[in-house]
Amino acid sequence: MILASSLLFNDDPAPVVPSPPSGQLGRPLPDSPAPTLPEIPGTGVLRQGDSGHGVYELQVRLLQVPNIYEGGAISGRYDTEVRAAVTRFQKRYGILGDEAGVYGDHTRHALMLRTK
């Protein structure tokens, strides 16, 4: 019974929680370098001769725009057909800032606005 009563009527204060070192209250944490993020597939400049997931995504989007890449292959290879389709898209929508037939930032932005 003594043991039970000591659990019910403990005179000890609440558990001690360590406090931050003096002089550091409210100070921001030291800057740490931002983690390096992996490249998102489909970003970066793509041109004839490239291959991979980014080109695959480009081909899928080009197929969504009528009369740009009709019947084009989804192969992941940036061949002459893809280059011609990118050039048609750039001309149709008046995209400037990227070399003709090269899928750069300006062309990517315009294509993403028009596709899913």
Side-chain angles (χ1 to χ4, degrees):
M1 196 103 177
I2 294 173
L3 181 58
S5 66
S6 69
L7 291 174
L8 293 174
F9 300 104
N10 189 350
D11 291 334
D12 291 340
V16 177
V17 177
S19 60
S22 63
Q24 291 194 6
L25 292 175
R27 287 177 51 190
L29 295 174
D31 289 334
S32 60
T36 314
L37 299 176
E39 184 175 327
I40 299 169
T43 60
V45 175
L46 298 173
R47 56 179 37 93
Q48 188 170 344
D50 289 341
S51 62
H53 186 74
V55 179
Y56 174 89
E57 292 291 326
L58 167 60
Q59 291 169 323
V60 168
R61 287 185 184 270
L62 287 171
L63 281 170
Q64 296 175 39
V65 183
N67 303 313
I68 293 294
Y69 190 54
E70 302 270 327
I74 301 177
S75 63
R77 289 188 308 269
Y78 203 120
D79 56 16
T80 56
E81 286 184 58
V82 174
R83 184 175 191 279
V86 170
T87 301
R88 276 192 295 279
F89 179 80
Q90 290 168 327
K91 286 181 180 180
R92 179 182 295 172
Y93 294 101
I95 299 163
L96 304 173
D98 292 329
E99 185 181 332
V102 174
Y103 189 57
D105 291 337
H106 300 280
T107 307
R108 177 185 318 284
H109 182 73
L111 185 60
M112 290 182 84
L113 287 174
R114 292 169 175 82
T115 60
K116 298 180 197 181

